Amino acid sequence: KAGVTQTPRYLIKTRGQQVTLSCSPISGHRSVSWYQQTPGQGLQFLFEYFSETQRNKGNFPGRFSGRQFSNSRSEMNVSTLELGDSALYLCASSLGLTSSTDTQYFGPGTRLTVL
Amino acid sequence: GENVEQHPSTLSVQEGDSAVIKCTYSDSASNYFPWYKQELGKRPQLIIDIRSNVGEKKDQRIAVTLNKTAKHFSLHITETQPEDSAVYFCAAYNNNDMRFGAGTRLTVKP
């Protein structure tokens, strides 16, 4: 089975621009979660999508948004980029079971640099 | 919401020694506790996990223990090797919400 894939792997943007990141989950997985990883804040949960619906959301401003398509692929969008948005953005996929039997698998991440 | 604390933030051990990393969580409803290993420049990889109905789980040199009453869980690595050097993250999962600890940078000196 192919693992979780993310595109692009690297991205450089300037302040005020917007960016869209893509994540393709493992085949059969219906849940996609997004995380922001920075040296100072560690791994922080952004949001989780399941069956095209946002099921959970972390404490990030409205500039961060996402969506999920019928094939479970997910995109996240960050508008009006700020310098502090520079980070590694990781997505993780899982079956999406609402039980303790679910396991998340991470993609390689997209490294976003905001200049 | 859930809050996960992880200690220590850095850990240095001699090859062959054991390493222990501890995490505490705040939400008693959390029911799944994975541990991830992240090598430099790579994605986090699941190394072991434990469900809330189990107190201990072992996989070769790696073990995890869970104390639900005290709301803490620990990762134990025995006979450490230089390739164990990485950042380790604990996490607590409840109701589709996964919260991570801040990470422990483990260095194993040959």
Side-chain angles (χ1 to χ4, degrees), chain A residues 8-26:
Chain A
R9 294 293 310 278
Y10 302 91
L11 206 48
I12 299 175
K13 292 284 188 179
T14 55
R15 276 181 300 174
Q17 287 188 306
Q18 75 162 19
V19 66
T20 299
L21 312 180
S22 180
C23 172
S24 292
I26 291 171

Side-chain angles (χ1 to χ4, degrees), chain B residues 3-4 10 22 27 31 34 37 39 46 71 91-92 99 108:
Chain B
N3 182 44
V4 179
T10 60
K22 298 181 180 179
D27 190 343
N31 55 16
K37 174 184 179 182
E39 296 175 77
L46 179 73
K71 289 189 278 189
R99 300 289 168 149
V108 180

